[in-house]
Amino acid sequence: MINKKIIFGLTVISFINLFATSEEPDSTNDSEELSVITVTASIETPVVEQRQTFTQTDIEQLHSPDLPALLQSAGIQILSYGTYGLEQKASIRGFTDETVRVIIDGICVNNAQYGTFDFTTVNMNDVEKIEIVRGGFTEGVSDEGAVGGAVYITTKKNKKGHSFNSDTCLTSYLNQKYPLDTVSQSLGYSGAFSESTFFSSSIKGSFAKNAFQYENSKKKQKTLENAEVFDINGSIKLSHNFSEKNSWTISNQTYYGNKNTPGSASQDLTGNQKDLNNNLSFNVNLPAIKDCFYADNTVNWITNNRFYEENDDLSIHYINSFRYTFQSDFFKFNFYKQTFGITADFTTLNSTNDGIHNQITGTFKETSKFFFGNHFSMTVPLAVKYCGSNFEFIPKLGLGLTFKYAEFFLNGYRMVQFPNMDDLYWDSNGYKGNPDLTAESGWGSEFTANAKIPYAPFSITFFYNYYKDKIQWRYIDNSMSPQNAASAWYFGIDFLAEQNILGFISIKESMEYLYNQLIDPDNELTDGNHIMWTPDFVGSVILNINAGFAVFSLDVSYTGKRYTDNLNVTYLKPYFLLNAGMDLTVWEHCIPYLKVNNILNESYESIPGYPMPGISIQLGLKFL
């Protein structure tokens, strides 16, 4: 029980700091930009969602090698089939896969075939800000379909002047046979061709042996084998301002990964996976047409190609999505704000296992926000979404009550998730898709209270979800086939907080308690049980100390008990990860850094049979 005691102790310390800090914020202090909670209700930022924000400074100080590592530091459960480069999924409020939407620069990038997003493809050195929204109440009009939550990623903007940056990182798992396990190098440049034309580019390459040691079921030390990953990520962006505020941008992001994908530790199965992804984007931004409304147009061509080989069997998947996104905000009236967006997708799939299929998807979403005096607001997001033959109406309603030092929000919303193309068309090795599937759907509600205490804001949310027609793969007619077969309900509490002490110490907490039950009357063995892989508690604490010439960071994350199946017979033990890092400013443009991950050498799994690494050391050098 030592893990829960430590978490409880850190929480008590955080609450003491929360109410012990009384200094007024310094408007010149950069730490003001690091607030993890954005819950204001003004005409400029009409947001009633509970948002957890990581700025560029936060991201740099954590030195996370990839996006899953950062999300885990933020208190998000990560379902991992291995370490760097291997499959990892974010789970929010007990929901995972396609129910967690990923939006990059206003464009939803979830894969149409799997419904998920490959977090490996994000180059952390390109990211300016990450925002995490928990639950299905989303005001943004970039897309609709979040059930568990949404991850908004904003990439860095082009700036005036010329700048060059480099980041070299070496990682060791303290394996004597492979003392240097992972090497990563990134390079970036940004500059201005003229006062109105800007250019930036970046490239990152990594090789990971992933040969860490772990303890097998017989309590013997083994070294993970056949888990090598080589990947490269490149981006280029050209933008031009053709009037005082209007601009166009053309950008391209390319990712290639060659990954050995080992089976579980008890199996001898191995595979090789090659991913080639590309996102070509053209954007026209018109922020103030006739001083009345903002308009943003983006056209994307997104390609996801995968080649997977196992035991001499090769499967090939080609996905091409052509996507148009339009977003507009009216901001003329002080008592009313109107936002709407349109997305239209045409996807072609040519797959060894799915066959050849075309899919048309579209969304129209509007968000109306009304302000009644200085304290009360009402938010009404309404969406219509279609996917193939499925058509759904998705209403939501949010009520806000705002005072100087406190805010209260009550939200109700419908949730909808369409089946992905694998669910509909897969046909291989005894698994057969079901083209008659309908959308998963449900209703959710939230009550959020925010305390706007200077230097120490905190937010607490109580949520309840009822979800039905869940898609489950079941044994039908001598094969496994997906069915709209079960329902579930979820209850939980989210907590976010931040303290700023003496201007150079910051503490951030994120915690979630979750209880859920599966409703499955056709199966008395699972009906009423806890849903597998959903922990009862997840949480994190991030501590940063900025001493000027050096920055020290400490992040702690905890993931609680998770059942390995819906029978609730066996479970994975809770795990507690402690990481620490340090930056040294040797010179204004040269910053060496050190980070030690899993300091306590915790032996754990987030997916049964897939061990995760113990202690590791990162050494890096940045040039700015």
Side-chain angles (χ1 to χ4, degrees):
M1 301 303 293
I2 183 65
N3 294 345
K4 291 187 177 180
K5 290 181 179 179
I6 297 175
I7 287 286
F8 178 77
L10 289 171
T11 305
V12 171
I13 293 173
S14 299
F15 271 102
I16 293 173
N17 290 329
L18 180 69
F19 294 105
T21 308
S22 59
E23 290 188 61
E24 291 297 321
D26 180 1
S27 60
T28 63
N29 195 323
D30 292 339
S31 63
E32 275 195 314
E33 300 177 358
L34 306 185
S35 176
V36 299
I37 305 171
T38 306
V39 284
T40 57
S42 66
I43 195 71
E44 292 81 11
T45 53
V47 176
V48 299
E49 306 151 331
Q50 186 191 55
R51 290 199 175 198
Q52 184 180 12
T53 301
F54 285 80
T55 66
Q56 182 179 340
T57 301
D58 296 324
I59 296 168
E60 291 174 349
Q61 291 177 349
L62 283 172
H63 298 297
S64 301
D66 52 23
L67 185 55
L70 183 139
L71 293 176
Q72 184 162 266
S73 296
I76 301 296
Q77 180 197 11
I78 300 297
L79 302 173
S80 301
Y81 290 85
T83 184
Y84 180 83
L86 301 177
E87 185 177 9
Q88 301 181 75
K89 305 175 183 179
S91 176
I92 301 178
R93 290 187 175 177
F95 295 93
T96 185
D97 294 342
E98 57 262 53
T99 62
V100 177
R101 312 299 280 177
V102 180
I103 297 95
I104 300 180
D105 291 336
I107 306 300
C108 183
V109 291
N110 289 64
N111 186 300
Q113 181 182 3
Y114 321 113
T116 57
F117 173 73
D118 185 357
F119 290 101
T120 307
T121 62
V122 176
N123 182 355
M124 298 301 292
N125 294 295
D126 285 342
V127 177
E128 182 175 283
K129 181 172 64 174
I130 292 175
E131 296 174 286
I132 303 167
V133 175
R134 292 166 166 82
F137 187 93
T138 52
E139 289 190 9
V141 294
S142 56
D143 191 27
E144 186 53 58
V147 173
V151 179
Y152 294 90
I153 300 172
T154 303
T155 59
K156 294 177 180 177
K157 303 297 187 294
N158 289 342
K159 299 179 180 179
K160 294 182 178 181
H162 297 271
S163 64
F164 171 82
N165 63 80
S166 170
D167 188 351
T168 305
C169 184
L170 310 176
T171 302
S172 173
Y173 291 109
L174 307 184
N175 186 336
Q176 293 182 356
K177 186 177 180 179
Y178 304 104
L180 178 59
D181 187 274
T182 303
V183 179
S184 177
Q185 174 66 59
S186 66
L187 300 170
Y189 167 80
S190 66
F193 291 157
S194 68
E195 291 185 359
S196 302
T197 306
F198 307 91
F199 172 82
S200 65
S201 63
S202 69
I203 188 169
K204 177 187 176 184
S206 299
F207 173 79
K209 183 70 176 176
N210 287 329
F212 57 84
Q213 293 184 309
Y214 67 94
E215 189 178 81
N216 66 7
S217 59
K218 298 180 180 180
K219 304 299 181 181
K220 293 184 178 181
Q221 288 292 317
K222 300 281 289 184
T223 298
L224 187 68
E225 299 178 349
N226 303 314
E228 289 183 356
V229 172
F230 167 74
D231 63 12
I232 188 167
N233 189 315
S235 67
I236 187 170
K237 181 185 293 185
L238 178 67
S239 60
H240 175 74
N241 299 330
F242 57 86
S243 68
E244 182 179 354
K245 296 181 179 180
N246 303 327
S247 65
W248 59 258
T249 300
I250 184 169
S251 63
N252 192 78
Q253 295 85 37
T254 302
Y255 173 82
Y256 171 76
N258 189 334
K259 311 172 184 182
N260 289 333
T261 55
S264 66
S266 60
Q267 297 175 320
D268 295 327
L269 295 177
T270 60
N272 180 257
Q273 176 179 308
K274 294 182 176 68
D275 291 331
L276 179 59
N277 303 325
N278 196 78
N279 185 347
L280 177 62
S281 174
F282 179 70
N283 170 267
V284 177
N285 186 278
L286 306 170
I289 299 178
K290 294 184 178 180
D291 295 324
C292 179
F293 67 92
Y294 159 92
D296 189 89
N297 297 267
T298 305
V299 178
N300 290 80
W301 174 24
I302 302 175
T303 300
N304 301 108
N305 298 326
R306 173 166 292 179
F307 309 86
Y308 185 77
E309 185 175 8
E310 182 179 271
N311 298 330
D312 298 326
D313 291 330
L314 177 64
S315 62
I316 302 174
H317 313 274
Y318 297 103
I319 309 172
N320 287 276
S321 294
F322 301 90
R323 182 167 300 160
Y324 171 70
T325 302
F326 172 77
Q327 301 178 48
S328 180
D329 295 341
F330 288 88
F331 50 87
K332 187 174 182 179
F333 307 109
N334 291 330
F335 62 89
Y336 172 71
K337 182 178 177 70
Q338 175 70 57
T339 304
F340 69 91
I342 299 172
T343 64
D345 290 28
F346 176 73
T347 299
T348 66
L349 171 66
N350 187 345
S351 166
T352 304
N353 305 105
D354 289 307
I356 300 175
H357 297 278
N358 298 323
Q359 178 175 277
I360 298 176
T361 305
T363 303
F364 173 83
K365 183 175 181 180
E366 71 82 31
T367 298
S368 300
K369 194 168 186 73
F370 304 89
F371 300 90
F372 305 94
N374 296 322
H375 301 295
F376 182 67
S377 65
M378 180 172 67
T379 305
V380 187
L382 303 173
V384 175
K385 185 167 184 176
Y386 64 89
C387 180
S389 60
N390 286 317
F391 180 92
E392 297 289 345
F393 174 58
I394 310 171
K396 302 178 181 181
L397 176 65
L399 303 176
L401 192 60
T402 304
F403 301 100
K404 183 176 180 180
Y405 292 110
E407 296 173 328
F408 304 94
F409 299 110
L410 180 63
N411 300 328
Y413 50 90
R414 187 168 187 245
M415 305 174 293
V416 170
Q417 176 59 51
F418 292 110
N420 61 53
M421 298 180 84
D422 273 354
D423 291 331
L424 298 171
Y425 308 120
W426 187 271
D427 189 0
S428 177
N429 299 325
Y431 291 82
K432 188 174 181 61
N434 180 2
D436 297 324
L437 290 172
T438 59
E440 302 176 343
S441 65
W443 292 90
S445 60
E446 302 173 356
F447 174 74
T448 300
N450 302 311
K452 300 189 295 182
I453 302 173
Y455 269 79
F458 69 89
S459 175
I460 185 168
T461 296
F462 299 86
F463 63 88
Y464 176 83
N465 298 124
Y466 170 72
Y467 202 58
K468 63 187 181 69
D469 297 326
K470 289 174 64 69
I471 295 174
Q472 293 186 341
W473 286 76
R474 295 191 171 186
Y475 194 71
I476 305 291
D477 296 332
N478 299 320
S479 65
M480 293 293 290
S481 178
Q483 306 291 320
N484 294 107
S487 304
W489 62 266
Y490 304 74
F491 168 78
I493 303 171
D494 286 324
F495 176 79
L496 299 175
E498 178 177 348
Q499 299 84 48
N500 194 305
I501 305 170
L502 303 177
F504 65 93
I505 300 175
S506 66
I507 305 174
K508 304 176 184 181
E509 300 93 354
S510 170
M511 302 178 192
E512 179 179 287
Y513 167 78
L514 175 66
Y515 183 81
N516 57 44
Q517 279 192 358
L518 187 65
I519 303 173
D520 191 5
D522 295 334
N523 189 341
E524 62 180 12
L525 296 177
T526 62
D527 186 35
N529 288 355
H530 197 80
I531 300 173
M532 65 180 183
W533 295 354
T534 57
D536 53 359
F537 181 84
V538 291
S540 71
V541 178
I542 300 174
L543 169 68
N544 278 311
I545 302 175
N546 190 339
F549 68 93
V551 177
F552 303 92
S553 64
L554 184 74
D555 64 276
V556 181
S557 62
Y558 174 83
T559 301
K561 176 181 176 181
R562 296 138 294 143
Y563 288 105
T564 59
D565 55 43
N566 290 330
L567 295 174
N568 289 185
V569 176
T570 59
Y571 61 88
L572 294 174
K573 68 175 184 178
Y575 59 90
F576 173 87
L577 301 178
L578 176 64
N579 310 317
M582 178 180 65
D583 291 1
L584 290 175
T585 304
V586 176
W587 173 46
E588 180 183 0
H589 302 289
C590 178
I591 302 176
Y593 61 88
L594 166 70
K595 185 172 184 182
V596 184
N597 298 296
N598 196 0
I599 293 175
L600 302 180
N601 202 29
E602 181 90 9
S603 177
Y604 71 101
E605 295 177 351
S606 62
I607 296 293
Y610 290 85
M612 296 298 292
I615 188 171
S616 65
I617 297 176
Q618 289 177 232
L619 287 173
L621 181 64
K622 287 186 178 182
F623 288 98
L624 305 174

